[in-house]
Amino acid sequence: MITITANRKSAALDRSMTVAEYLDSIGFGDRRVAVAVDGEMIPSERHGTEVISDGSRVEIVRPVGGG
């Protein structure tokens, strides 16, 4: 078990995982989102290879339309 901080809240994960795996696990797998891991923006093409590990700080932002 590992612990990360996701959008300023502590979260426990069974294991280290890629950004894409994490997004799938929280229901964001099919949504367009911006993700930063430890302060670095992660382009969507790297979501499948960038690993979230113990102690990582993850920020996820999704666009909201409207006017």
Side-chain angles (χ1 to χ4, degrees):
M1 175 121 355
I2 69 166
T3 302
I4 66 168
T5 302
N7 288 2
R8 299 184 183 149
K9 294 182 182 175
S10 182
L13 306 178
D14 292 336
R15 59 180 174 79
S16 294
M17 57 180 66
T18 66
V19 169
E21 290 171 326
Y22 181 65
L23 291 174
D24 281 341
S25 76
I26 62 170
F28 279 78
D30 60 347
R31 297 186 185 174
R32 294 187 62 107
V33 294
V35 180
V37 177
D38 296 327
E40 177 187 352
M41 292 300 298
I42 308 300
S44 59
E45 57 270 6
R46 286 183 34 210
H47 286 186
T49 58
E50 186 70 28
V51 176
I52 297 170
S53 55
D54 194 37
S56 289
R57 294 180 336 268
V58 180
E59 294 292 328
I60 302 167
V61 180
R62 64 184 176 115
V64 177

